[in-house]
Structures are given as structure tokens and as C-alpha cells.
């Protein structure tokens, strides 16, 4: 499958969705004119967004800015009122969420979504069943899951949970539960990973650990994250898009965005507020 892209000079050419890294990282997830109405309320309006391969892109803004709504639109948990969404060169505007996930767009949620009474290893093995084709073969014995052990242990090691592989997920600290959730999303082999407030509620040590994991994960996939911790955004993200009242206020690298007076006002208000 190929995607047609416009070059800086205005010409058009054909390249693969992850093509020609010499020209910079390619766009793997894109939205144009994204809008969502709820009755008479416009939650998201005219949002244009490009997420690049091997980059971490932050979506930030004050509470109520529309960040989670944008996530729900991109992953098709909500249908846009207007606008288009493309993934790896394919129009997914009207595609259902399950198919979008199979195409390589996978998200986490603000609330940890692990099975508390299963071990860390079994949580990851459950996640691996779908890409391995075992999720619909319910007649197979439990031992059939053993073929997933090698890959599951690789993922567990990648996120630093090897010491807890046989422990119930309920016994993990909050931060390590979020790390386990990253491992289960990686089990689906995403091309684009959407993380909804991955650092929320974490202590400093866990934030540092999860930041390192995200940085490593982003070496071969795109990551779009909603995050309120601006220190994390400054340290981790290549691109930052700021939302306010459902619209894009500004976008750029963190240094550029943080020096924008409109961003300061959006977060802290003015002396007259």
C-alpha cells in the first residue's frame, strides 16, 4: 500500500507510509478538519494533526480542551461529525474501532485496564492471543498458550517487570500496573500507540521509569500521548500540539510552544481573570 505525499516544493510523489527516512520521519496518522458536535456543543473543531513514525507527539491543554475527545475520534470510539482520518495511508474515517486496532492503531486509557487476579505473564499472554490467532480458538487446551511464553517474556523484560512475571497484577504498584498495560498494548504490535495520561498519579521514580520505556518504544513506532506533566512533555516529546476549547492553539517543539504567550494564558490565565 502506498501513500501520496506532498513535498515541500509543492510537487507530489508516491512513497510507502514509513518511507525514506532521509527526508525525515513519515506521517503515519493524520487528521484533517476533525470536528465533533454534541447537540449544540462543539467539542472539537477543525483539528489538523500529523503524527510521525518514530516520534513522540504530545497533545496538551487545560482541562476540557478536548484532548480525550480527539483520542476517541482518532481511535473511532466516536465518529467525527466532519473531517477525515488516515492511518498508514488508508482512510479510516468510517472504520470501526476493532478494525482500526487490527490495522495498527492501539490506545491505552486513563484507568489501568489489566486483569488484577491474573499474573503479569498471563496478562500479557491474554493480550497476545489476538495477534496469534488464538482468541477465537476456545476449544484448544490451556497448554496451547505456552507457545506465547517466549514473546510474552520478551515484552515483560522490555518494560522491566521480569521480577514480577509470576505475581498477580493486583500486587503491583500503581506505576507498575501502568507499565504492564504498556506491555499488553505492545503485544498487539501497534504501528501507532496512543497513551492517555500515562503518568497520571505516579510518583517521581515511576514517572522516570515509564518515560524511559516510552522513549525506547518510540524508536520503531509513533506515539501520541495526552499528558499533563509538562516536565515529561519537555523531556520526552518531539512535537507538541496545544488544544484550547476544542481547537488547536499552536503546535511545534516544546521550546517554541512553551514561549507562546497564548499557551501561558491558556494554562495560567491573566492577572485580570
Amino acid at each position: 500500500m502506498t501513500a501520496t505525499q506532498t513535498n515541500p516544493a509543492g510537487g507530489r510523489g508516491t512513497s510507502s507510509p514509513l518511507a525514506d527516512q532521509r527526508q525525515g520521519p513519515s506521517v503515519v496518522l493524520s487528521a484533517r478538519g476533525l470536528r465533533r458536535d454534541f447537540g449544540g456543543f462543539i467539542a472539537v473543531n477543525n483539528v489538523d494533526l500529523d503524527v510521525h513514525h518514530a516520534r513522540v507527539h504530545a497533545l496538551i491543554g487545560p482541562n476540557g480542551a478536548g484532548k480525550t475527545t480527539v483520542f476517541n475520534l482518532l481511535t473511532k470510539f466516536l465518529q467525527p461529525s466532519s473531517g477525515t482520518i488516515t492511518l498508514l495511508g488508508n482512510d479510516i474515517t468510517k472504520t470501526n474501532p476493532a478494525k482500526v486496532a487490527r490495522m495498527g492503531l492501539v490506545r491505552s486509557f486513563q484507568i489501568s485496564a489489566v486483569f488484577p487476579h491474573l499474573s503479569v505473564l498471563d496478562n500479557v499472554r491474554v493480550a497476545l492471543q489476538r495477534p496469534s490467532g488464538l482468541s477465537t480458538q476456545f476449544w484448544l487446551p490451556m497448554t496451547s498458550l505456552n507457545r506465547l511464553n517466549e514473546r510474552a517474556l520478551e515484552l515483560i523484560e522490555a518494560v522491566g517487570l521480569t521480577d514480577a512475571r509470576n505475581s498477580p497484577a493486583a500486587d503491583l504498584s500503581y506505576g507498575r500496573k501502568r507499565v504492564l498495560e504498556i506491555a499488553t498494548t505492545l503485544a498487539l504490535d501497534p504501528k501507532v500507540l496512543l497513551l492517555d495520561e500515562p503518568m497520571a498519579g505516579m510518583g517521581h521514580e515511576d514517572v522516570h521509569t515509564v518515560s524511559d520505556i516510552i522513549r525506547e518504544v518510540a524508536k520503531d513506532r509513533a506515539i501520541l500521548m495526552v499528558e499533563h506533566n509538562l516536565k515529561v512533555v519537555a523531556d520526552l516529546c518531539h512535537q507538541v500540539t496545544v488544544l484550547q476549547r476544542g481547537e488547536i492553539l499552536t503546535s511545534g517543539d516544546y521550546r517554541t510552544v512553551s514561549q507562546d504567550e497564548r499557551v501561558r494564558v491558556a494554562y495560567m490565565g491573566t492577572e485580570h481573570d
Side-chain angles (χ1 to χ4, degrees):
M1 187 71 181
T2 61
T4 302
Q5 298 176 329
T6 303
N7 64 36
R12 298 181 71 84
T14 301
S15 61
S16 69
L18 302 181
D20 204 349
Q21 299 301 307
R22 294 170 299 176
Q23 297 179 8
S26 59
V27 175
V28 291
L29 176 65
S30 181
R32 287 293 176 269
L34 204 58
R35 179 184 174 108
R36 174 66 192 199
D37 302 335
F38 293 98
F41 174 67
I42 302 174
V44 170
N45 187 39
N46 198 32
V47 167
D48 292 344
L49 190 69
D50 288 325
V51 181
H52 295 80
H53 176 66
R55 293 291 186 269
V56 183
H57 190 137
L59 193 60
I60 69 171
N63 289 332
K67 303 181 296 295
T68 297
T69 302
V70 169
F71 256 39
N72 288 335
L73 292 169
L74 293 174
T75 52
K76 308 314 311 301
F77 285 84
L78 286 175
Q79 182 65 24
S81 301
S82 60
T84 59
I85 305 168
T86 58
L87 172 66
L88 300 172
N90 300 292
D91 188 332
I92 62 167
T93 308
K94 298 184 182 300
T95 306
N96 66 60
K99 185 174 181 179
V100 166
R102 291 194 296 271
M103 292 171 68
L105 179 59
V106 179
R107 69 171 292 180
S108 71
F109 294 85
Q110 293 180 18
I111 300 172
S112 182
V114 299
F115 296 104
H117 301 299
L118 293 182
S119 70
V120 167
L121 176 60
D122 283 340
N123 265 276
V124 179
R125 293 203 305 174
V126 166
L128 283 168
Q129 286 182 59
R130 177 173 292 278
S132 301
L134 294 175
S135 59
T136 57
Q137 301 181 36
F138 54 86
W139 60 86
L140 294 176
M142 285 294 292
T143 53
S144 65
L145 295 180
N146 289 340
R147 73 180 75 170
L148 306 178
N149 286 351
E150 182 177 358
R151 178 57 179 155
L153 290 171
E154 288 176 356
L155 289 167
I156 289 168
E157 181 180 7
V159 298
L161 289 177
T162 300
D163 63 312
R165 62 186 179 276
N166 295 318
S167 300
D171 291 350
L172 299 178
S173 67
Y174 175 75
R176 299 193 96 192
K177 284 189 178 78
R178 298 310 300 263
V179 167
L180 174 57
E181 186 178 358
I182 291 175
T184 60
T185 56
L186 292 177
L188 300 176
D189 194 25
K191 304 298 184 295
V192 186
L193 181 58
L194 274 61
L195 301 175
D196 199 352
E197 298 191 32
M199 312 296 180
M202 290 187 186
H204 176 75
E205 183 175 341
D206 284 334
V207 166
H208 180 75
T209 298
V210 175
S211 292
D212 285 346
I213 291 170
I214 292 173
R215 187 177 290 107
E216 186 66 25
V217 166
K219 289 180 178 180
D220 57 3
R221 57 180 51 81
I223 293 180
L224 177 65
M225 58 189 287
V226 169
E227 183 54 55
H228 287 290
N229 188 328
L230 295 185
K231 290 183 179 179
V232 169
V233 173
D235 178 60
L236 193 59
C237 298
H238 303 88
Q239 182 80 5
V240 181
T241 296
V242 185
L243 284 179
Q244 184 183 32
R245 299 187 181 95
E247 298 185 346
I248 292 179
L249 186 63
T250 188
S251 189
D253 60 38
Y254 181 81
R255 181 180 180 85
T256 301
V257 165
S258 64
Q259 292 176 351
D260 192 312
E261 180 67 12
R262 297 170 301 168
V263 175
R264 190 195 68 79
V265 171
Y267 270 93
M268 296 180 289
T270 69
E271 59 182 290
H272 301 295
D273 289 345

